[in-house]
Amino acid sequence: MHGNPRTPVQVSASRSGRTSTTQEESDDEEKPPLWGIVLKGFLGTQNKVGEKVMASLLKTTQAPIGIYVSEPVTALHRLDPRVKQVWLFALMLLPARSTLAVRIGLVSGVLLLSMLCLPRRLWKAQLGPLVFLCSFVFVMTAFTADGVALLAQPKSLPPPQIGLPEIPPATGGYRYVLFSWWVFRVTRKGLLLASSTASLAFMVMQSANLCLTTTTPEELVASLRWFLQPLRLLRVNVAEIALTLLLSLRFTGLVFDEVRNLALGVVARGVDWKKLGFVGTTDMMAGLAGRLFQNLFAQADQIAQAMVARGFRGRPEDHQIYLMTRLRLGLLDIFAMFLLCFVLFITWKQRRPLVIRL
Amino acid sequence: MQTSAKWRTPGQAELQEEDLAIDVRDVTLSLESASRDRVQILKGATLAVPRGELWMLLGPNGCGKSTLLKALAGLLDHSGGELRIAQPCSFVFQNPDHQVVMPTAGADVAFGLGRMHLPEDEVKRRVQESLEIVGMGDYTRRSVQTLSGGQKQRVAIAGALAERSQVLLLDELTTFLDEEDQIGVLEAVKNVVSMQSGVTALWVTHRLEELPFADGAAYMHDGKVVMHGNPGKIERYIGRLQKQALALR
């Protein structure tokens, strides 16, 4: 007897991997494998993965990451782009070789700067997901880095068996294992690794984002072109690198727009994701991805045509790119460089030695 | 090009060649279709646009308006007839996202000047002037990503002005724009033509409500210009066509 298709079917798995249901099934009906049922449970008829993907795409593209924000004009906007790039480079390297205190200081500094320099709507939309991601990385690394017991045994015998006294407990309350409950264990090594990974992830993403939102792409390119000048002696085509970077920065915004337009198109059509099921959802997502690339290639083609119509003939060295920016160091830049030297000095003084120490 | 050629448009005095910014005579042009067949788009199009005027080019979909504009810009090669246009000329695309190349407004306006190798101060002056003419003087450092469609179109027009273009070829600029942006772009173009001596604009459009902004207009059908003259005349002609189409239903 066939069960009513609308009635939920309880599924259980036996040790042999076979599945059984609480309802009677006819012999001629082929039972699906366990993995199929599990997958169906997650992504099948009950799924709303498509809806969630579309919602998150719309949310993400609402506040595009790395797009220049011209107002309000802050001190960061006024800084020379070369100084900003040196700071950016330092902030990406420092967390790896600093102590926990310095890492917390650096992360707090970037967090505070983001909140001060960006409009509230932007920093809330950008920092929220980033803080969640970094917290997740921190927790997972802290609990798993040193939490799994070693399968191999140490080769040397325990100290009492070779006639040596037991290692005395550390003075000053030193403990390698900081927290232990059931299978969860946080050690000093795990905590350091977690703080290093999470702070690096945060610094790489947020400091780059902060630099991009307070510096026009043209300023960034002008600065990069200045740093790359020595390569001209080696006959490196710096003009081509600069133009490529400019076009890719222009294209970043177009990608966000295109993704947003496609997602809006799908949401506006009111797709019934439940009815589509796993196969239908996958099929639609693949179709959308294809459409996205098709649209982006068409956009690239049109922009290339516009460049030709505006006199570009394919040789960046023959077509001067006016970046409308003048690189000039002011008092603010000198102060920023002194501050960087101070941060570097503190980090060097507090640098993490080879012996693990908090 | 025949040197003795003269033009007379209804209500206008006879025009000499030097009075014309655009001079198109019996131009034919074929394009390859998706099935690799040659399709003739322009079948002897003839048009004359006097200097310093804003002209609109109207007609049903597929009649060859945009193709004629691209041929004028040199983006397509015509196979027959004669075609002359005052230089330098600039083409502004239908979709503003396709026109704007650089990430910020000021740098985009300056992009077209790259081939001229001008001093930096001259470039800055031209960019500022051009942006002010289209009403966007304060937008030099604005990311194009944050501009509306109409503002992007105006940046594109400013780019053409910075190059000291004599002719602006404008391809359905208002298609993607709302009413406010549409008026903004129309006024910017009208402003350019009236303020910059000798600048001519040829505007391809579908919208009859834009006709009152024009100094002259032409109507295309099946690859030919079938009517040209003052905007009122073209509007009446289109009105008659629409009545005939309704009567046939």
Side-chain angles (χ1 to χ4, degrees):
Chain A
M1 196 179 90
H2 286 282
N4 183 350
R6 286 177 185 273
T7 313
V9 178
Q10 283 183 7
V11 182
S12 61
S14 68
R15 280 191 178 187
S16 61
R18 287 178 62 85
T19 56
S20 63
T21 66
T22 52
Q23 287 184 335
E24 270 185 27
E25 286 173 326
S26 62
D27 294 337
D28 57 335
E29 193 178 337
E30 201 179 318
K31 286 178 183 174
L34 174 64
W35 66 267
I37 293 166
V38 173
L39 199 65
K40 204 174 175 184
F42 275 115
L43 306 163
T45 50
Q46 298 300 314
N47 95 67
K48 281 191 174 179
V49 174
E51 202 174 313
K52 282 176 186 167
V53 169
M54 289 301 140
S56 58
L57 279 179
L58 283 175
K59 205 175 166 185
T60 314
T61 51
Q62 197 178 7
I65 294 165
I67 300 292
Y68 175 65
V69 180
S70 56
E71 280 170 0
V73 179
T74 61
L76 269 189
H77 285 77
R78 283 191 285 268
L79 267 183
D80 188 281
R82 290 168 296 179
V83 176
K84 278 188 256 190
Q85 280 185 344
V86 172
W87 258 99
L88 181 64
F89 190 65
L91 286 176
M92 285 182 176
L93 291 180
L94 285 179
R97 286 292 293 160
S98 52
T99 58
L100 189 63
V102 174
R103 277 176 201 155
I104 291 171
L106 289 173
V107 168
S108 311
V110 171
L111 205 68
L112 199 69
L113 261 180
S114 306
M115 289 160 87
L116 287 174
C117 293
L118 299 178
R120 187 183 165 84
R121 181 183 63 84
L122 265 184
W123 67 253
K124 275 183 87 174
Q126 290 172 358
L127 286 178
L130 185 59
V131 169
F132 173 77
L133 176 78
C134 294
S135 309
F136 179 75
V137 168
F138 180 84
V139 172
M140 290 305 287
T141 317
F143 279 104
T144 55
D146 210 14
V148 183
L150 284 173
L151 288 174
Q153 294 297 316
K155 280 181 182 173
S156 56
L157 291 167
Q161 288 187 10
I162 49 177
L164 290 171
E166 278 280 10
I167 299 168
T171 53
Y174 175 87
R175 283 188 308 145
Y176 180 69
V177 178
L178 299 170
F179 169 81
S180 183
W181 177 74
W182 192 37
V183 293
F184 302 107
R185 196 163 70 135
V186 179
T187 61
R188 283 173 183 266
K189 182 184 162 192
L191 191 64
L192 273 174
L193 195 64
S195 71
S196 159
T197 319
S199 61
L200 259 176
F202 181 85
M203 295 303 260
V204 165
M205 285 190 257
Q206 192 52 27
S207 53
N209 183 36
L210 198 56
C211 183
L212 286 168
T213 44
T214 56
T215 321
T216 63
E218 285 81 7
E219 283 176 338
L220 281 176
V221 171
S223 164
L224 193 77
R225 202 163 64 176
W226 186 84
F227 283 119
L228 294 180
Q229 281 307 311
L231 292 181
R232 290 178 74 177
L233 297 172
L234 302 171
R235 299 196 174 196
V236 173
N237 195 338
V238 176
E240 193 171 345
I241 296 173
L243 182 65
T244 309
L245 181 65
L246 261 181
L247 290 175
S248 48
L249 285 168
R250 164 80 181 105
F251 217 70
T252 314
L254 285 177
V255 174
F256 273 107
D257 276 358
E258 203 56 55
V259 170
R260 186 170 173 76
N261 288 342
L262 276 176
L264 273 174
V266 173
V267 171
R269 279 171 176 80
V271 176
D272 190 346
W273 297 100
K274 267 188 188 177
K275 251 185 191 169
L276 273 180
F278 173 63
V279 176
T281 304
T282 315
D283 191 39
M284 183 165 238
M285 290 294 173
L288 282 175
R291 187 62 196 266
L292 174 69
F293 281 104
Q294 205 179 343
N295 289 358
L296 287 174
F297 281 126
Q299 293 248 28
D301 193 44
Q302 292 285 344
I303 287 180
Q305 207 176 53
M307 286 173 76
V308 171
R310 297 179 71 184
F312 183 74
R313 295 289 174 266
R315 284 173 56 87
E317 55 273 30
D318 294 343
H319 192 105
Q320 196 173 344
I321 303 294
Y322 296 103
L323 297 172
M324 306 291 290
T325 181
R326 189 167 287 168
L327 301 174
R328 198 167 29 197
L329 288 174
L331 273 176
L332 190 65
D333 303 300
I334 295 164
F335 172 73
M337 287 311 288
F338 270 118
L339 193 64
L340 178 63
C341 292
F342 176 71
V343 171
L344 288 173
F345 175 73
I346 295 285
T347 314
W348 178 77
K349 284 284 279 181
Q350 298 260 310
R351 72 188 180 281
R352 193 153 58 86
L354 293 174
V355 179
I356 296 167
R357 169 168 79 93
L358 278 179
Chain B
M1 175 97 206
Q2 293 168 0
T3 49
S4 60
K6 286 174 184 169
W7 281 90
R8 186 190 288 277
T9 54
Q12 288 178 317
E14 203 170 67
L15 292 168
Q16 299 291 330
E17 265 180 19
E18 56 269 22
D19 300 325
L20 297 176
I22 296 170
D23 190 359
V24 177
R25 295 176 194 209
D26 293 323
V27 166
T28 55
L29 191 150
S30 305
L31 291 175
E32 204 171 74
S33 69
S35 55
R36 303 246 166 211
D37 301 324
R38 298 294 297 181
V39 180
Q40 192 165 9
I41 311 290
L42 298 180
K43 302 168 181 174
T46 299
L47 176 71
V49 180
R51 279 181 195 274
E53 290 191 6
L54 165 59
W55 273 56
M56 291 200 176
L57 189 58
L58 296 105
N61 281 335
C63 70
K65 304 181 297 289
S66 294
T67 308
L68 176 59
L69 215 62
K70 284 184 179 170
L72 281 166
L75 295 172
L76 294 174
D77 291 327
H78 61 289
S79 47
E82 289 170 14
L83 193 148
R84 273 173 47 149
I85 184 163
Q87 292 294 334
C89 79
S90 296
F91 189 95
V92 181
F93 289 80
Q94 184 180 25
N95 188 339
D97 278 327
H98 297 163
Q99 176 81 23
V100 181
V101 176
M102 291 285 115
T104 54
D108 186 76
V109 174
F111 180 80
L113 304 175
R115 64 177 187 270
M116 300 177 191
H117 298 281
L118 299 168
E120 197 98 3
D121 288 338
E122 169 69 5
V123 171
K124 276 191 179 171
R125 197 177 56 78
R126 282 195 188 196
V127 167
Q128 195 56 41
E129 265 177 25
S130 311
L131 280 171
E132 267 163 21
I133 290 171
V134 296
M136 294 187 68
D138 300 331
Y139 287 70
T140 317
R141 283 172 64 86
R142 272 283 287 272
S143 163
V144 291
Q145 202 61 33
T146 59
L147 300 180
S148 71
Q151 286 171 330
K152 283 181 199 165
Q153 293 287 31
R154 284 194 267 163
V155 168
I157 294 166
L161 292 178
E163 292 173 45
R164 300 282 187 262
S165 288
Q166 289 301 297
V167 182
L168 302 177
L169 301 167
L170 314 164
D171 190 9
E172 297 190 46
L173 296 196
T174 50
T175 305
F176 297 114
L177 310 184
D178 61 23
E179 203 175 340
E180 198 182 326
D181 268 349
Q182 189 188 340
I183 299 292
V185 173
L186 269 164
E187 281 176 347
V189 173
K190 191 71 190 160
N191 202 16
V192 166
V193 173
S194 56
M195 277 174 70
Q196 305 275 300
S197 64
V199 172
T200 310
L202 181 59
W203 176 299
V204 167
T205 185
H206 277 293
R207 299 185 180 188
L208 282 180
E209 67 268 23
E210 289 171 356
L211 263 179
F213 286 86
D215 300 310
Y219 188 82
M220 276 188 83
H221 182 75
D222 195 23
K224 287 179 182 170
V225 176
V226 291
M227 173 77 73
H228 68 280
N230 61 56
K233 183 184 167 186
I234 300 296
E235 202 168 354
R236 283 194 297 279
Y237 177 73
I238 294 170
R240 277 205 304 277
L241 284 178
Q242 284 171 343
K243 271 184 192 166
Q244 280 172 10
L246 281 172
L248 280 173
R249 281 185 195 173

